[in-house]
Amino acid sequence: MAAVGKHHVIIGGGISGSQAADTLRTLDPDSRITLITLSRLPVYNRYDLPQVFRGRQDWRDFLVQPPEYYRRSRISLRRATRVANVDATRRIITLAHNEELRYDTLLVASGGRGYLPEELAEFLPLLDSFTSFEDAVTVRRRLPEGGHVIMIGGDMIGLDLARTMVETGHRVTLVAGPQTFWPHRLEAGERKQFLAVLAKMGMQVVESEAHGNIETIEPGAKGMPARRIVFGDNTDLRADSIMAFCGLVPSVEFMLGSGVDIERGLLVSRSLRTTNEAIYAAGDVCQIWDQDEKRYRFYYGWKNVRAMGELAARNIVGGDEPWSSNQDESLRVQENGSLYSPFWEYA
Amino acid sequence: MSANLERDLLQQGGDPQAQPIGYSADPRDLGWVRQNVPCQTACPAGTNIPQYIRMIVESRYGRSYEINREANVLPAVLGRICSRPCETACRHGWPGNGEPVAICHLKRAASDLKDAGHRITESLYSPTGKRVAIIGAGPAGVAAAHDLSILGHDVAILERETYPGGMLRYGIPEFRLPRDTLEIELHNALRLGVELKTGVSVGNGANEVRLSRLLEDYDAVLLATGCMAAQSLPMKGEWENVEPTQTCSDVESGLDFLLALHRGEAKRVGRRVAVVGAGFTALDCARVAVRLGAEEVTIHIRTTEEYIPVSHEEIFEAKREGVRIKGLRTPVGLRVDERGRLTGVEFAQNRLGGWRSGGRRQAIPIEGSEFVDPCDTLIVAIGQKTIHDLLDLKVELDRTDSVRLTDDGMTSVRGLFAAGDYVTGPTTAIEAVGQGRAIARRIDAWLMGKERRKTVVRITPVAGPLRERAYDFIPRQAMPTAPLHDRCKSLALEVEQGLAGDAVLEEAKRCYLCNLRYEIDIDRCIYCRACIDVAPRNCIKLVKGVETKTDGSYGTLEEAKDWNEVCAIWIDNNECIRCGACFRACPVQCISITRNELTEVEA
C-alpha cells in the first residue's frame, strides 16, 4: 500500500480514469485523489452517447457514478479543467488557468480525440462533433426528424452511432475510406463484405476513393440541406449534418514537455508505467509494449480501457502486474445479417 | 535598465516620449535583453522580433521589413522557410500561455505588405580598399557579402552553380520558396557592388580556381561552401559497407535528388516511395515525390514525430498532401528483385533510448524485430557532410573532420576564414545567415585592425502600455494554403499563400512585446499593492532579495513570506506578459516602461 497521504492525480475523466480513481480509493484509502476532466459533467459514459437518439437526453442517465459518489469517496473532481503542462521533474501539473498541482503519482488517462485526416482539416468548422454529451444533444436537436447525415470514415464508434440513427428513422450515408471499421484489422476481402452488410442495415455506402476523394465541403445553398460534399469526380452529396469518425488521436499535447516518451501515444511498459517512474498511463492515450509483435500498440474498446484503469491503479500502489487483454477484436456478421463488433459491448 | 540611466530619464519628468533615448553597454542591460526577449535570443541572426512585430501593429510594414533586414538580409525568404527557433522560445507558447506567436508568418507579412515602391535604406561605410573573396553564394556567403560591402570592402563571390542562392535555390522546392522572391532578395543583398561570379568552381581541377591563388589576390577569403555531400546510409548484413545509391538505380540521396531537380533535370519516382530521414530535406523530398506522381509516399524515421527537427506546420502540410510518417524504425537492408530493382526496405523496430548530445533522442533497434516495407523508390535524406576537396593547401581540421577556427573565425591559414555549414555541418538557413553576419564583423575587425561595430542596448522610454489584455485571447492565425488538388499537381505553386491583412494585424497583436521593460521605482512606491491586485498572473512579487547573475541578468527572486521581510516590490519579468494592468492601476505612477533593444553602434 502506498504511503499515507500520497496525492494521486488522474488526468482524464473517461472510463479508464474513473475506474482508476475507484480502484485507488479502495486500495489506498488514506490517499488524496484528484480527478481532472475537461468535461463540465461528472464522469459519464461516452460510449453510450448514441442513446440520445433513443430519447435519453438527461445527462444524469449517462453518469458512471452518481454525483455524491465523489464526495463520499473523497475524490476531488476537477471539472472543466484543462491541463497545460506536466513538469515530471518537479512533479507539478500546471492547469490552463495557471494553478499548479503537486502530485506523488500521476495517471494520464486523457483518452483520444477524433482524428480528422489532414486533408479535411480546413473543413472542420462545417463538421458536427459528437465527442461530448453536449455535442450529442446539440446534434440530436439540430437534426430534423428523418434527417440525412453523412458520416465520413466510419470507425466503430461512428458506425455504432450510424446504426442507431438508422434504427431511429434517420438517413445515413457512409463515405467510406481507409478508416472505416477502425480499429478492426480486416482480412483481404472482408471490407467489401462488411460494407455490403452496412448497406443491408440501411446505410447508403459511398466509397470515397471511387469518386476521386472528397474535394470540398461547403455550406448548402439557401433552401437546400445545410451541408454539401463535392468529390473529385464532381459528384456531390447533400445532407443536414456531416460528421467525421476516422479513429482517435491520443490527447498527449500537455505531456510534450514532460520528458516522457511519446510516439503517437504515451509509451508504457507492460505494467502501464511510462518512462517516468511516477507517471502511468491507461486507456486510449497509451501504447503498450507488445513483446510478441515487438512494437508499441494501442488497445481499444470499453473493456480494455476499463481494465487498463484498474491495472494502472493497482500498479500505482505498489503492484507489478503486466497488462494482458482478452478482448475479442473480430468483426463479424450475425445470424440476423447485421454487423457485430465486440467494441459495441458496453456494460 | 541600469538604475542610474532610469533615474536620469525619470528625473526629466514631463512627457516620457520627450525623454531622450539612452544607449547602454552595461552588462545588466545586455543580460536583461538576453534573458527577457527569448525570441531574439533564440534567433541565430539576433533579429529584433518584438520591434518588427510592433511596426506591423502600427501598419508600418516597410519599417518592419527594414528592422528584419538589419539582422537577416533575406527576410522574405526566411519568412517562408525558417526553422523558427524563435517560435519555440516564444513566451506566448510557454505552458499556460497558449500558442507561440506566428513570428515567421509575420516576417513574411512585413515583406508582402510593404509598399511596392519601398526603398531599402542602408548606412554605408566609406570604401576601405580591402578585397574579400567569398566562396559559395549560399545564405552564409550572401549574408557575409552584404555586411562586408556595407562596411566598405570590395567583395567578390565565387559560385560553382549557375545561379546564386546555394541550398536556398538548389535544395528547397519552389512550392516552399518561390524563385522570384529569392531572386529579389539576393539582388538586394548583393546590389552594393558585390561582384558575383557564377559557374566558377574553386578546387584542384583543370578549370578550377585555386584557393591559394585567391589568397594571393584578395586580402581575405571566406569559405562558405556549405555541406554538399550526402551522408551514406549505414546498413547491415549483405548491405554492410555498400553504398546503396551506387548499387541500385532506385535509390538516391535526398540531396542529389533535389539538386538534380533544381538544376532542371526531369526526375521520376516509382509508385511507392520511401524516404528515410527526419529533417526538412526528407520532408521536401517526400512532398516533391507526391508532386511527381507517386501514389504512396512514406517517411520512415528512427524516433518519433515529436523528436524530429521540423515544424509541426510542415509535417501537417505534408500529411495533408498524403505523405505518411512511420516512426521507430531503422533501415537495415534493401530488397531487390532479380533485375536489381528495388522492391522494399528492411527495417528494424526501434525503441526510444536516452538523449544524444545536441538534444536529439536516441533510437535503439530491437534485435530480431526486422520487417520489410515494400517500395520501389528509396530516397535517403539522413544528412549531409562537409567535403574539403576544394582545398589546395593544408588547413587544420579537428577530430570531427571540421575545419578548426580561431576565436576570430580564421582557419589555420592566415587570411582564410570559414563560416556556415562548412564549419558547423548541416544547420538551417537562419543559422547560416547568422553566421555570415558574425563572420563579416570578424573579417572586418581583422582587416581594419579594430572592432568597428559593437552591440549595445537602446533604451527608449514608452509613454504607456502598448497592449490590451484582450490581445492575450486572440488565437494564432492560420496560414492560408493553396487548395490540395492544385498544389499536388505543381512543383511551383506556393503552398503557403500568406496571411491576409486583417489576420496579420490580429497575429501581430498577440506578441507580448517582451522588449518592454516594466519596472517599479521602489523609492516612490507606497506599497499599496494595487498592482498585485490587478495582475492577471503571479508577476508582481514582494521580495526580500534578487539574485544577480554573472552575466548581469537577474536570477531567482527571493520572495518574502512575512511583511517585515519585504525589501522591494518587484516585477517578475519571467511571468510578466506586458499587459499593462499594473501601470494603469498604480496611483502614484511609480511604474515605468522602457523599450530595450539590442542594436549595433560605432565602437
Side-chain angles (χ1 to χ4, degrees):
Chain A
M1 186 178 286
V4 172
K6 269 194 174 181
H7 186 196
H8 305 299
V9 176
I10 299 163
I11 301 175
I15 298 296
S16 189
S18 93
Q19 181 62 48
D22 194 56
T23 309
L24 278 171
R25 176 48 71 228
T26 307
L27 298 178
D28 193 0
D30 298 326
S31 63
R32 189 179 150 209
I33 298 173
T34 302
L35 179 60
I36 300 171
T37 174
L38 266 176
S39 169
R40 292 186 180 281
L41 298 178
V43 177
Y44 62 95
N45 189 345
R46 288 180 177 78
Y47 296 94
D48 262 349
L49 288 179
Q51 297 305 316
V52 297
F53 279 90
R54 297 192 191 279
R56 281 174 60 188
Q57 293 191 30
D58 187 328
W59 58 272
R60 282 164 291 215
D61 292 346
F62 293 83
L63 297 185
V64 172
Q65 302 282 4
E68 62 271 19
Y69 160 84
Y70 300 97
R71 186 168 40 79
R72 200 175 59 231
S73 304
R74 291 176 290 113
I75 295 170
S76 169
L77 181 65
R78 303 289 301 267
R79 295 177 293 125
T81 302
R82 183 180 291 278
V83 175
N85 185 50
V86 172
D87 183 337
T89 313
R90 293 162 58 218
R91 295 193 182 181
I92 285 178
I93 295 166
T94 307
L95 304 177
H97 56 272
N98 281 325
E99 180 187 346
E100 291 188 340
L101 273 183
R102 207 171 281 276
Y103 65 85
D104 293 303
T105 66
L106 172 65
L107 173 65
V108 182
S110 47
R113 61 178 187 280
Y115 165 64
L116 186 63
E118 284 76 6
E119 64 271 21
L120 298 179
E122 63 192 288
F123 308 121
L124 181 63
L126 297 171
L127 303 179
D128 286 322
S129 172
F130 202 82
T131 55
S132 66
F133 175 78
E134 292 89 338
D135 291 343
V137 170
T138 304
V139 168
R140 176 69 193 91
R141 285 181 185 160
R142 268 202 211 144
L143 200 61
E145 285 304 318
H148 182 197
V149 173
I150 294 175
M151 182 172 290
I152 298 170
D155 58 26
M156 294 316 295
I157 301 169
L159 290 180
D160 189 21
L161 171 64
R163 67 173 181 162
T164 309
M165 287 194 290
V166 168
E167 286 166 14
T168 52
H170 297 86
R171 208 179 127 209
V172 177
T173 300
L174 175 70
V175 178
Q179 294 90 9
T180 307
F181 302 117
W182 179 96
H184 287 292
R185 290 187 278 188
L186 305 184
E187 301 294 326
E190 281 185 334
R191 177 186 160 87
K192 201 172 169 187
Q193 177 202 349
F194 291 139
L195 286 178
V197 173
L198 292 179
K200 274 188 194 164
M201 288 167 71
M203 296 175 214
Q204 183 190 355
V205 179
V206 174
E207 279 279 18
S208 179
E209 198 176 355
H211 291 275
N213 295 318
I214 295 171
E215 190 90 6
T216 188
I217 299 174
E218 56 193 30
K222 199 172 177 185
M224 301 292 282
R227 298 285 181 267
R228 177 174 178 243
I229 285 184
V230 183
F231 293 94
D233 63 359
N234 278 330
T235 55
D236 67 352
L237 286 171
R238 295 167 197 273
D240 302 298
S241 169
I242 301 177
M243 289 187 262
F245 285 88
C246 302
L248 296 177
V249 181
S251 298
V252 294
E253 291 75 10
F254 58 91
M255 292 297 290
L256 290 178
S258 67
V260 164
D261 281 356
I262 297 169
E263 189 200 359
R264 281 173 295 155
L266 300 182
L267 301 184
V268 295
S269 65
R270 297 203 65 75
S271 61
L272 303 188
R273 199 169 74 178
T274 68
T275 44
N276 182 292
E277 62 176 17
I279 303 178
Y280 289 72
D284 295 337
V285 77
C286 70
Q287 282 176 273
I288 305 175
W289 178 248
D290 185 318
Q291 187 60 31
D292 298 331
E293 294 191 30
K294 296 224 165 19
R295 69 185 180 102
Y296 291 95
R297 61 160 291 194
F298 290 97
Y299 291 84
Y300 296 106
W302 183 86
K303 285 182 184 168
N304 275 334
V305 162
R306 187 177 61 172
M308 275 189 257
E310 187 172 336
L311 176 66
R314 288 205 299 268
N315 288 341
I316 281 172
V317 293
D320 190 23
E321 296 173 50
W323 164 253
S324 67
S325 170
N326 56 8
Q327 167 80 56
D328 175 9
E329 295 185 343
S330 61
L331 183 63
R332 48 187 180 268
V333 183
Q334 297 185 111
E335 282 180 6
N336 64 6
S338 65
L339 203 62
Y340 169 77
S341 168
F343 292 132
W344 288 343
E345 271 182 9
Y346 314 132
Chain B
M1 181 166 56
S2 60
N4 289 340
L5 177 57
E6 182 200 26
R7 203 163 294 125
D8 291 347
L9 291 171
L10 286 170
Q11 279 172 356
Q12 294 179 44
D15 178 6
Q17 289 289 37
Q19 291 171 359
I21 294 171
Y23 289 86
S24 168
D26 190 319
R28 288 173 295 180
D29 293 325
L30 289 162
W32 186 91
V33 175
R34 268 195 302 274
Q35 187 180 43
N36 286 284
V37 191
C39 53
Q40 185 171 11
T41 305
C43 176
T47 309
N48 184 355
I49 292 164
Q51 191 55 12
Y52 86 64
I53 293 180
R54 177 62 200 169
M55 290 298 103
I56 290 174
V57 174
E58 293 179 10
S59 300
R60 296 169 65 190
Y61 301 111
R63 179 68 195 129
S64 177
Y65 181 77
E66 291 297 310
I67 291 170
N68 256 298
R69 211 168 169 279
E70 285 169 14
N72 155 30
V73 75
L74 306 168
V77 170
L78 271 301
R80 286 166 167 83
I81 54 100
C82 189
S83 59
R84 308 170 189 180
C86 51
E87 293 188 20
T88 308
C90 174
R91 181 176 265 117
H92 214 314
W94 291 8
N97 287 357
E99 287 190 274
V101 175
I103 297 169
C104 189
H105 295 166
L106 290 174
K107 186 194 299 286
R108 173 186 170 155
S111 165
D112 288 354
L113 300 178
K114 68 183 186 304
D115 286 346
H118 175 76
R119 292 172 69 94
I120 294 170
T121 51
E122 288 172 304
S123 305
L124 307 182
Y125 280 63
S126 54
T128 62
K130 304 287 185 185
R131 302 181 70 221
V132 183
I134 296 174
I135 306 171
V142 167
H146 170 263
D147 283 17
L148 284 166
S149 60
I150 279 186
L151 290 162
H153 307 299
D154 286 335
V155 183
I157 299 183
L158 290 77
E159 169 57 50
R160 183 181 66 171
E161 299 287 343
T162 313
Y163 301 102
M167 288 301 286
L168 297 175
R169 182 188 297 273
Y170 291 97
I172 296 176
E174 209 171 338
F175 58 80
R176 283 216 293 136
L177 176 56
R179 294 306 185 253
D180 54 350
T181 302
L182 179 64
E183 289 290 354
I184 291 168
E185 295 225 305
L186 287 174
H187 169 79
N188 287 339
L190 305 179
R191 72 193 173 123
L192 301 174
V194 175
E195 186 184 3
L196 176 64
K197 300 177 179 178
T198 56
V200 177
S201 187
V202 176
N204 297 304
N207 295 317
E208 293 182 317
V209 178
R210 299 286 184 276
L211 178 61
S212 52
R213 181 63 194 269
L214 289 174
L215 281 164
E216 288 169 16
D217 293 348
Y218 292 86
D219 296 298
V221 175
L222 172 62
L223 290 169
T225 53
C227 283
M228 297 307 285
Q231 292 278 13
S232 57
L233 183 66
M235 291 189 288
K236 289 184 176 171
E238 60 180 305
W239 292 94
E240 194 164 358
N241 300 322
V242 174
E243 176 48 61
T245 57
Q246 303 297 322
T247 52
C248 180
S249 61
D250 299 318
V251 182
E252 191 170 10
S253 82
L255 177 67
D256 293 339
F257 177 75
L258 294 174
L259 283 175
L261 179 80
H262 296 123
R263 282 172 182 150
E265 282 182 33
K267 298 298 294 180
R268 289 171 63 187
V269 293
R271 194 173 64 81
R272 287 176 303 192
V273 176
V275 180
V276 174
F280 280 105
T281 305
L283 224 58
D284 285 343
C285 289
R287 296 176 73 184
V288 166
V290 168
R291 285 158 175 79
L292 293 176
E295 292 173 18
E296 201 179 294
V297 181
T298 308
I299 299 175
H300 302 274
I301 57 177
R302 287 158 50 85
T303 57
T304 67
E305 271 181 44
E306 187 199 345
Y307 303 111
I308 63 176
V310 290
S311 68
H312 290 302
E313 278 166 330
E314 291 294 333
I315 293 173
F316 176 76
E317 290 304 333
K319 283 183 172 177
R320 285 186 73 192
E321 291 163 10
V323 174
R324 289 192 294 174
I325 298 178
K326 293 183 177 175
L328 291 176
R329 47 184 56 196
T330 298
V332 292
L334 303 180
R335 290 280 193 273
V336 291
D337 64 15
E338 62 283 356
R339 293 174 300 139
R341 302 305 300 264
L342 185 72
T343 60
V345 180
E346 185 180 357
F347 293 96
Q349 177 77 45
N350 293 341
R351 64 181 173 81
L352 284 171
W355 294 88
R356 289 191 287 166
S357 59
R360 303 281 297 276
R361 281 309 290 266
Q362 277 183 330
I364 301 167
I366 297 159
E367 262 185 54
S369 66
E370 289 76 11
F371 62 94
V372 175
D373 219 322
C375 67
D376 29 46
T377 297
L378 171 63
I379 298 173
V380 180
I382 56 169
Q384 289 148 236
K385 59 186 176 185
T386 309
I387 44 175
H388 302 293
D389 58 0
L390 81 166
L391 304 175
D392 70 331
L393 36 78
K394 187 169 170 44
V395 177
E396 256 183 54
L397 304 178
D398 65 15
R399 280 184 307 172
T400 62
D401 213 29
S402 296
V403 65
R404 191 190 295 278
L405 299 181
T406 60
D407 287 345
D408 58 7
M410 199 188 297
T411 67
S412 57
V413 177
R414 185 176 164 76
L416 180 63
F417 294 80
D421 287 2
Y422 180 72
V423 176
T424 57
T427 55
T428 60
I430 190 66
E431 285 177 83
V433 167
Q435 287 187 41
R437 192 179 177 221
I439 198 69
R441 227 164 101 167
R442 287 175 180 154
I443 292 173
D444 177 69
W446 183 75
L447 288 172
M448 306 307 290
K450 61 175 182 180
E451 285 269 1
R452 293 199 292 168
R453 310 283 294 164
K454 70 171 181 181
T455 302
V456 296
V457 181
R458 179 169 52 216
I459 301 166
T460 314
V462 177
L466 299 176
R467 302 189 74 245
E468 292 172 21
R469 178 73 175 126
Y471 295 173
D472 297 335
F473 305 103
I474 300 172
R476 182 178 162 116
Q477 305 295 298
M479 170 62 78
T481 55
L484 267 183
H485 58 281
D486 292 340
R487 70 160 98 152
C488 292
K489 294 173 193 158
S490 167
L491 279 164
L493 177 63
E494 188 176 13
V495 170
E496 294 189 348
Q497 304 276 293
L499 293 175
D502 292 350
V504 169
L505 178 61
E506 287 300 286
E507 188 60 40
K509 287 195 300 198
R510 295 181 68 232
C511 177
Y512 285 155
L513 303 175
C514 295
N515 63 354
L516 296 185
R517 186 172 182 175
Y518 283 72
E519 282 184 296
I520 299 174
D521 180 354
I522 54 174
D523 292 337
R524 293 165 60 204
C525 176
I526 56 171
Y527 290 86
C528 66
R529 295 193 280 186
C531 53
I532 295 178
D533 290 343
V534 297
R537 299 165 61 90
N538 183 24
C539 49
I540 304 180
K541 293 168 178 170
L542 297 167
V543 298
K544 56 182 177 182
V546 182
E547 178 200 1
T548 308
K549 293 182 181 175
T550 49
D551 70 349
S553 58
Y554 293 114
T556 316
L557 297 178
E558 207 180 341
E559 286 193 64
K561 292 196 172 85
D562 192 298
W563 185 247
N564 294 331
E565 295 174 337
V566 174
C567 291
I569 183 164
W570 198 269
I571 295 179
D572 182 348
N573 277 286
N574 226 20
E575 291 283 336
C576 173
I577 55 172
R578 279 68 170 170
C579 67
C582 58
F583 183 94
R584 295 185 189 98
C586 180
V588 292
Q589 287 86 45
C590 71
I591 297 177
S592 65
I593 311 172
T594 53
R595 179 182 295 119
N596 290 245
E597 305 164 274
L598 293 181
T599 189
E600 282 190 0
V601 293
E602 294 278 343

